[in-house]
Amino acid sequence: MALQCGIVGLPNVGKSTLFNCLSNAKAQAANFPFCTIEPNVGVITVPDERLTKLAELVHPGRIVPTTVEIVDIAGLVKGASKGEGLGNKFLANIRETDAIIHVLRCFDDENVTHVDGTINPVRDKEIIDTELQLKDLETVESRIQKVQKQAQTGGDKVAKQTYEVLAQYKDALEQGKSARTVQFETKDELKIAKELFLLTSKPVMYVCNVDEASAVSGNQYVEMVREAVKEENAEILVVAAKTEADIAELETYEDRQMFLEEVGLKESGVSRLIKSAYKMLNLETFITAGEMEVKAWTYQKGWKAPQCAGVIHTDFEKGFIRAEVIKYEDFIQYGSEAAVREAGKLGVEGKDYIVQDGDIMHFRFNV
């Protein structure tokens, strides 16, 4: 399951610096707008200490963590929805992502210019929100023109449902609200809503980019953001991107941990961001462990065993017989699969088993 998050924000808020922390790819972090003209894509591993602990017991040939794609999308500006700057291209890049990481500048630095002259993260957030909402409104109105007559005069049930979904979105967007604030209850409505691919329906995480002194407790700008988004049910993360970039340059894990401790952090902002992105998208991880490899697999929370088997290979799902499940804590406690079996802690589960985060799975199938 490929997960893709797009980093958005106004020019010079720290998007490319954050991207450089997250990825081995190096975007040009320059002090002028539009230094990122093509979206930079970085593939990053999801930190999971469980894999390392399992590997110490299993001694596999390799450890394979799951990954996330991060897309550094060039700075949006006011008027992007009408094509200002490089707007249309950037908006198309956002449409392809699963979630939005919205970077807000929450630091003062006279050496880094701000596109609007002053530091105000709430204003910056509203500029981006407005541009995405305007583009969504354009999409919704275009779709309404296509289905309205069919919905009102014909007996087409799908057209009627589609029109009702679009009408609710139009009402919200015209009030300056994002599409994600509209709640649908039926499966049909949810399916129609998903197929619209609206920009503001995507889950969003606000990353407050602060200076090093504010990395632990935040600052007045972060508090402004918290107040502004309190009704959105959105994740807020405080990250000192420039400090994270310095940490990322260090060679060893020990050096990086020492740097974090000096700043007052237990975990890097990069690690917190990736884990938060997973949580935001309702994703979890199951593990396969053997002599060849210890590997993490991403699945949607609530999936049953056959669906998770299909993540490895479609044949596993088609011919699913059963799943042998070991809880991570049990594997660590007993030290091996054989010892877990002997202790009677290995579960044999059928098609209705709901996989839990950290389950160590072995699938039996026949095609």
Side-chain angles (χ1 to χ4, degrees):
M1 179 184 290
L3 167 66
Q4 194 177 77
C5 295
I7 300 181
V8 304
L10 291 177
N12 292 349
V13 297
K15 297 184 317 303
S16 295
T17 303
L18 182 63
F19 175 82
N20 290 343
C21 302
L22 289 163
S23 167
N24 288 328
K26 294 293 180 184
Q28 181 189 2
N31 181 22
F32 57 91
F34 308 128
C35 65
T36 313
I37 294 178
E38 290 299 325
N40 291 269
V41 181
V43 179
I44 54 176
T45 59
V46 177
D48 193 336
E49 53 278 1
R50 294 174 299 191
L51 301 180
T52 307
K53 289 182 180 178
L54 283 170
E56 290 170 359
L57 299 172
V58 177
H59 307 294
R62 60 179 182 166
I63 300 173
V64 186
T66 190
T67 59
V68 176
E69 280 188 7
I70 301 290
V71 185
D72 181 23
I73 297 166
L76 286 168
V77 293
K78 196 178 293 184
S81 60
K82 302 299 180 188
E84 290 295 324
L86 300 175
N88 287 326
K89 194 171 184 182
F90 302 161
L91 293 167
N93 292 329
I94 296 169
R95 202 178 298 280
E96 294 167 9
T97 63
D98 298 296
I100 294 172
I101 297 170
H102 188 160
V103 183
L104 297 167
R105 178 171 171 176
C106 294
F107 66 89
D108 293 305
D109 187 341
E110 61 185 24
N111 296 316
V112 180
T113 60
H114 188 287
V115 71
D116 281 329
T118 56
I119 311 302
N120 186 332
V122 174
R123 176 203 58 208
D124 296 354
K125 169 198 169 311
E126 289 171 352
I127 289 171
I128 299 284
D129 284 350
T130 299
E131 295 307 321
L132 300 184
Q133 288 163 8
L134 287 171
K135 198 66 180 177
D136 277 349
L137 186 58
E138 184 183 302
T139 300
V140 166
E141 287 177 338
S142 174
R143 288 295 302 272
I144 284 176
Q145 287 178 0
K146 291 177 182 177
V147 302
Q148 187 170 13
K149 189 174 180 182
Q150 198 176 359
Q152 292 176 342
T153 60
D156 190 328
K157 182 184 173 185
V158 175
K160 189 173 186 299
Q161 286 180 323
T162 302
Y163 176 75
E164 288 170 355
V165 167
L166 289 165
Q168 288 186 63
Y169 274 145
K170 184 172 186 287
D171 184 52
L173 291 163
E174 285 179 339
Q175 292 179 51
K177 297 177 181 176
S178 293
R180 72 182 73 88
T181 63
V182 181
Q183 300 296 316
F184 298 106
E185 295 181 3
T186 71
K187 283 186 179 179
D188 289 341
E189 288 175 330
L190 290 167
K191 183 173 182 290
I192 292 164
K194 188 177 180 181
E195 289 172 353
L196 290 170
F197 296 105
L198 296 181
L199 300 170
T200 64
S201 67
K202 298 178 186 295
V204 63
M205 180 194 306
Y206 294 104
V207 175
C208 296
N209 184 17
V210 299
D211 53 42
E212 185 174 313
S214 307
V216 177
S217 55
N219 56 29
Q220 76 273 18
Y221 295 129
V222 175
E223 293 311 310
M224 286 168 62
V225 174
R226 287 193 199 282
E227 181 64 25
V229 307
K230 65 182 180 183
E231 304 296 330
E232 290 190 32
N233 194 28
E235 188 94 12
I236 294 178
L237 213 60
V238 177
V239 174
K242 192 172 184 303
T243 303
E244 294 282 336
D246 292 338
I247 293 171
E249 293 293 326
L250 297 173
E251 292 293 326
T252 68
Y253 172 80
E254 289 74 19
D255 286 343
R256 290 194 289 273
Q257 286 302 114
M258 195 180 298
F259 196 135
L260 283 170
E261 286 172 16
E262 286 175 6
V263 177
L265 296 170
K266 292 180 180 178
E267 189 177 22
S268 75
V270 167
S271 180
R272 288 183 289 119
L273 192 152
I274 300 163
K275 289 178 180 178
S276 294
Y278 251 55
K279 181 183 172 186
M280 179 171 67
L281 287 166
N282 219 21
L283 297 175
E284 293 183 335
T285 301
F286 72 86
I287 302 166
T288 53
E291 290 182 4
M292 185 179 295
E293 64 183 18
V294 168
K295 185 168 183 176
W297 304 85
T298 299
Y299 70 96
Q300 199 80 36
K301 185 177 181 180
W303 275 11
K304 294 181 179 179
Q307 289 173 286
C308 289
V311 173
I312 298 176
H313 197 287
T314 52
D315 284 351
F316 284 27
E317 183 173 6
K318 288 176 188 172
F320 180 88
I321 299 171
R322 65 180 183 274
E324 295 176 355
V325 184
I326 300 174
K327 296 300 176 185
Y328 169 76
E329 293 79 10
D330 288 337
F331 201 111
I332 296 300
Q333 181 182 342
Y334 293 101
S336 70
E337 183 178 327
V340 170
R341 284 179 183 274
E342 195 174 317
K345 292 290 187 178
L346 184 141
V348 178
E349 306 290 352
K351 292 182 178 181
D352 291 330
Y353 176 70
I354 296 173
V355 176
Q356 303 298 306
D357 186 51
D359 277 355
I360 299 164
M361 311 285 293
H362 181 70
F363 297 105
R364 300 289 185 182
F365 71 101
N366 182 29
V367 177

